[in-house]
Amino acid sequence: MADPATYRPAPGEIPDSPGVYRFRDEHGRVIYVGKAKSLRSRLSSYFQDLSGLHQRTRQMVTTAASVQWTVVGNEVEALALEYSWIKEFDPRFNVKYRDDKSYPYLAVTLADEFPRIQVMRGAKRKGTRYFGPYAHAWAIRETVDLLLRVFPVRTCSAGVFKRAHQQGRPCLLGYIDKCSAPCVGRISPDDHQQLAQDFCDFMAGDTAKFTRRLTARMKEAAAELDYERAARLRDDIATLQRATEKNAVVLADGTDADIFALAGDELEAAVQVFHVRDGRIRGQRGWVVEKVEDITDAELVEHLLQQIYGSEAAAGDGGAGSSAVPREVLVPVLPPDVDQVQAWLTGLRGSRVSVRIPQRGDKRELAATVHRNAEHALVLHRTRRAGDLTTRSQALQEIQEALDLPSAPLRIECYDVSHNQGTYQSASMVVFEDGLARKSEYRLFTVRGPEGQGARDDTAAMHEVITRRFRRYLAERSDARDVELGTGEDDDGLPVRSGPIDEVTGKPVRFAYPPNLVVVDGGPPQVAAAKAAMEELGIDDVALVGLAKRLEEVWLPGEEYPVILQRSSEGLYLLQRLRDEAHRFAITAHRKRRSKGMTTSVLDGVPGLGPARQAALLRHFGSVKRLRAASVEEIASVQGMGDRTAAAVVAALASPGVASEQVTESAGMLEA
């Protein structure tokens, strides 16, 4: 526990300007990011008597070992920079938003030559138009099934589309007129694009235009006595009306708003939002917020808007920027800097955005409904996770007591090695923090061995992996300095990016932070190998254990007998989850390498011979056996080949120890 007085800046050093500040721990890891109108006033509030601070604030300042700040021009810039750094560093003491579930969206891939309608979850992709979120995927499919009668846009996958194109025969949807069959040329790319755009316009709320258009065509067909076409258009109109009725009108037409509500206490809160577009509820979404910092409802609302609309803007929505940020944002409590938030949202939308509290009428009634949903979500969350926080804490405490650790192991790393009779050796590192998996910090290792052919056994592989991991830790710890405060220039006169930052991705380097506990999959031999690797590097402040599969024994380095945890122990259950996750991650990587290795070809190593030329050779000669019997002149006669490359192919196939023809031919067939 650090004393805040040891890193407190002198009052005259802190500027009285807007800015963003970062607290870092002893390893240089950012643990909290905040913004302030006046950096001097805000930072001074953290360095008062510890007894006067909130419990979570007190824990943060005693965990930190330094504080830095960056001055910006105004509060709007501070808001944007704070969001950017929270997303980049994922500080442990900042408010965290967890979706109460994964919500599906209706997506239209407008960037494709032939746009496709599909259900999507997760991160948004550029060039795709999204509608939702919806509560259930079946609700999307039901709506799409109705609308395909009027807007027969492609819904098939790329593989189905390609196969239909090659066969010249559409799929079932093409035969029943629920797809315009662009795969076989029934509709041109431009017409199909327009059809997809019409579908998007209808889903965005412009429904009357299509109803009027179909009605006019129906009357025209009836006047021409084409009653079959008129009846079909009549049914299309009824279809549009049924699809429209599925979204009940709750507000006046043209209302474009997101309505938020909060329900919770000082530890956690449930957040709900209704997305209203063109007066209809287009979707509902919920989050559960862990208040890991001392924060008011007003500040919570500000962080909420920052997280939601910041991520929408970063993802992009394929031309639907105005739908990501609505004209009105209705909140239960105004943010402290409401003018700055409105200015920021206005910049994202491209037109004015109003942030306010609904006072009367239908909007206030709908806000009350959203609040009731938030209360229900909080009750449901507490019911489902009542024992979760307690269980995780109990598991960490049991591990601490069983292993006689000075503190609970908040960060645990587990290692496992996977191979097939010594080939394609791969190792995994999985990370659990506070008893939960941190998949963004998982790592994979390709075990090389002293001669580059892999390690001789599991213990040598474990020794290599632990050595590489902690050698990186020592190197990055020695280089770790604050990014913004780094000094020096490179040979070109450009500033050097210092600190634990990956130069390729620009993201923080995770190896710069040590674990509290290392778990290896195995018994005494694996533990001894890992211990030897750590001693060789001088690592003496990280606990180490091994978990043997047969009897689930916990082995400590140098101990003759294992530590036995009760079968019903939460601590043992957590260690088993770690081990199983490490095994899953390692074997997935091993299978991927093995699959790739089994489809390689002897031709892969020939200089100047890429996949296209390999496929051309195999198409021309039919097999590797015939290719091996061919002369340089015959190979050079293949389109795209030259004399030098042909000679290299002959030399490669004539060399001893060539891989089996069967594997080579199968690889070529895959490429062809």
Side-chain angles (χ1 to χ4, degrees):
M1 180 179 293
D3 182 2
T6 60
Y7 64 89
R8 177 177 183 172
E13 295 178 354
I14 308 175
D16 188 18
S17 306
V20 182
Y21 55 91
R22 300 159 314 288
F23 281 89
R24 296 178 180 266
D25 63 12
E26 58 182 345
H27 303 292
R29 185 173 189 172
V30 176
I31 62 172
Y32 183 74
V33 174
K35 65 174 179 62
K37 289 183 179 179
S38 170
L39 287 169
R40 179 180 302 171
S41 175
R42 177 63 59 85
L43 289 177
S44 297
S45 67
Y46 289 103
F47 296 100
Q48 56 179 288
D49 185 8
L50 291 178
S51 61
L53 295 175
H54 190 279
Q55 179 182 355
R56 289 185 290 274
T57 305
R58 182 164 63 248
Q59 183 182 1
M60 187 272 290
V61 297
T62 54
T63 302
S66 63
V67 61
Q68 293 89 29
W69 57 84
T70 298
V71 176
V72 297
N74 51 56
E75 291 86 351
V76 177
E77 292 181 14
L79 191 71
L81 183 58
E82 180 193 29
Y83 165 75
S84 175
W85 279 350
I86 288 175
K87 294 294 288 183
E88 179 177 359
F89 296 113
D90 189 21
R92 57 178 293 195
F93 284 100
N94 279 94
V95 168
K96 301 186 186 304
Y97 295 84
R98 300 196 315 273
D99 253 332
D100 52 6
K101 59 181 175 179
S102 176
Y103 286 88
Y105 285 80
L106 171 59
V108 185
T109 58
L110 293 175
D112 294 348
E113 180 183 8
F114 296 102
R116 175 191 176 193
I117 300 173
Q118 60 182 315
V119 178
M120 280 191 178
R121 298 177 187 262
K124 294 188 176 181
R125 305 173 187 175
K126 189 175 181 180
T128 300
R129 183 81 178 269
Y130 292 88
F131 301 94
Y134 289 80
H136 304 283
W138 58 261
I140 302 178
R141 296 188 179 97
E142 191 176 81
T143 301
V144 170
D145 188 61
L146 276 174
L147 293 178
L148 286 180
R149 177 186 175 90
V150 184
F151 306 104
V153 183
R154 167 197 163 207
T155 58
C156 60
S157 66
V160 173
F161 185 89
K162 182 178 180 181
R163 185 162 58 249
H165 177 70
Q166 292 173 340
Q167 295 175 348
R169 187 172 65 249
C171 63
L172 176 62
L173 291 178
Y175 281 110
I176 63 176
D177 295 329
K178 284 197 171 183
C179 178
S180 54
C183 53
V184 294
R186 286 188 187 172
I187 186 173
S188 68
D190 291 341
D191 290 341
H192 190 268
Q193 280 276 357
Q194 184 58 49
L195 192 63
Q197 188 60 55
D198 288 345
F199 176 85
C200 292
D201 292 343
F202 180 85
M203 290 300 301
D206 190 4
T207 59
K209 173 178 69 176
F210 299 101
T211 303
R212 289 194 301 267
R213 181 190 301 174
L214 292 178
T215 301
R217 290 168 57 189
M218 179 185 67
K219 292 179 179 179
E220 179 182 340
E224 296 174 357
L225 304 182
D226 189 352
Y227 297 117
E228 290 185 1
R229 185 163 66 94
R232 189 164 56 250
L233 292 169
R234 177 203 59 198
D235 293 341
D236 289 348
I237 295 170
T239 296
L240 294 185
Q241 290 173 345
R242 288 200 304 274
T244 303
E245 290 167 359
K246 284 182 174 294
N247 291 314
V249 177
V250 294
L251 298 173
D253 285 347
T255 301
D256 182 16
D258 284 348
I259 305 175
F260 291 86
L262 298 173
D265 53 28
E266 64 176 8
L267 295 178
E268 59 185 359
V271 180
Q272 287 281 314
V273 57
F274 280 13
H275 302 282
V276 178
R277 300 294 183 270
D278 196 30
R280 295 175 174 84
I281 298 177
R282 297 293 185 182
Q284 174 188 2
R285 199 173 182 187
W287 294 264
V288 176
V289 181
E290 291 182 4
K291 296 183 180 179
V292 293
E293 58 176 305
D294 184 17
I295 190 170
T296 65
D297 284 349
E299 293 170 324
L300 186 61
V301 167
E302 181 176 276
H303 284 297
L304 177 65
L305 301 181
Q306 189 182 33
Q307 294 287 328
I308 294 173
Y309 296 120
S311 61
E312 294 281 352
D317 59 353
S322 60
S323 64
V325 182
R327 286 194 292 268
E328 288 183 284
V329 176
L330 306 180
V331 295
V333 182
L334 288 178
D337 302 319
V338 64
D339 292 337
Q340 283 71 37
V341 173
Q342 286 186 149
W344 177 62
L345 293 176
T346 297
L348 294 180
R349 177 180 170 83
S351 59
R352 178 171 173 75
V353 176
S354 172
V355 179
R356 63 186 184 86
I357 302 173
Q359 299 294 337
R360 62 183 69 85
D362 294 338
K363 292 179 181 178
R364 181 169 181 174
E365 291 179 5
L366 185 56
T369 301
V370 181
H371 184 262
R372 286 194 295 272
N373 278 267
E375 290 177 332
H376 175 73
L378 183 62
V379 171
L380 186 61
H381 165 74
R382 286 175 173 171
T383 301
R384 290 176 175 173
R385 299 179 59 91
D388 188 57
L389 293 175
T390 304
T391 301
R392 283 172 15 220
S393 300
Q394 179 183 347
L396 295 175
Q397 184 177 358
E398 288 179 359
I399 294 174
Q400 176 188 353
E401 293 174 353
L403 305 181
D404 195 23
L405 302 178
S407 60
L410 298 181
R411 179 184 172 102
I412 307 176
E413 295 178 359
C414 186
Y415 297 83
D416 185 30
V417 177
S418 181
H419 59 85
N420 183 13
Q421 297 182 346
T423 61
Y424 306 111
Q425 296 178 8
S426 302
S428 66
M429 177 187 102
V430 302
V431 180
F432 274 41
E433 287 191 355
D434 297 330
L436 295 175
R438 291 278 296 218
K439 294 192 176 183
S440 62
E441 301 196 16
Y442 286 12
R443 293 295 182 270
L444 289 172
F445 299 84
T446 298
V447 180
R448 306 187 185 99
E451 299 178 358
Q453 301 299 317
R456 67 178 184 278
D457 54 28
D458 283 355
T459 58
M462 187 62 70
H463 183 279
E464 177 184 331
V465 171
I466 297 295
T467 298
R468 287 165 59 185
R469 187 267 182 264
F470 283 98
R471 185 183 293 141
R472 285 280 302 275
Y473 157 62
L474 293 175
E476 291 168 1
R477 183 182 66 176
S478 63
D479 294 339
R481 299 185 303 276
D482 184 80
V483 180
E484 292 76 27
L485 300 182
T487 57
E489 297 178 343
D490 60 13
D491 296 337
D492 297 326
L494 299 175
V496 176
R497 294 189 67 184
S498 58
I501 297 294
D502 190 307
E503 294 295 338
V504 177
T505 65
K507 297 181 178 180
V509 177
R510 304 298 185 183
F511 278 134
Y513 313 120
N516 302 110
L517 174 65
V518 167
V519 179
V520 298
D521 181 21
Q526 287 79 8
V527 175
K531 183 63 175 177
M534 295 170 68
E535 287 180 344
E536 291 169 6
L537 296 173
I539 303 295
D540 56 4
D541 57 349
V542 177
L544 170 67
V545 298
L547 184 62
K549 278 195 182 83
R550 191 169 66 89
L551 298 176
E552 304 293 12
E553 302 161 327
V554 180
W555 290 91
L556 293 171
E559 295 293 332
E560 185 176 358
Y561 300 101
V563 175
I564 304 298
L565 296 176
Q566 292 184 3
R567 286 288 179 176
S568 59
S569 165
E570 292 294 340
L572 178 60
Y573 176 62
L574 177 57
L575 292 177
Q576 289 172 330
R577 284 176 54 211
L578 268 162
R579 190 265 318 280
D580 294 344
E581 180 70 354
H583 180 68
R584 179 199 66 79
F585 199 46
I587 201 169
T588 300
H590 161 70
R591 286 171 175 169
K592 185 176 181 180
R593 288 188 60 208
R594 185 180 63 190
S595 176
K596 183 178 180 180
M598 292 180 67
T599 56
T600 57
S601 167
V602 67
L603 299 177
D604 290 342
V606 178
L609 191 68
R613 287 183 172 182
Q614 289 184 32
L617 286 175
L618 291 169
R619 279 196 303 268
H620 182 83
F621 291 99
S623 69
V624 175
K625 183 177 181 180
R626 294 179 181 175
L627 178 61
R628 180 180 281 115
S631 65
V632 173
E633 292 75 14
E634 290 173 329
I635 296 176
S637 65
V638 177
Q639 185 177 2
M641 300 294 294
D643 293 338
R644 181 180 300 178
T645 305
V649 171
V650 171
L653 294 177
S655 61
V658 169
S660 69
E661 297 175 7
Q662 182 177 0
V663 172
T664 307
E665 290 183 27
S666 64
M669 290 171 65
L670 288 174
E671 292 168 351

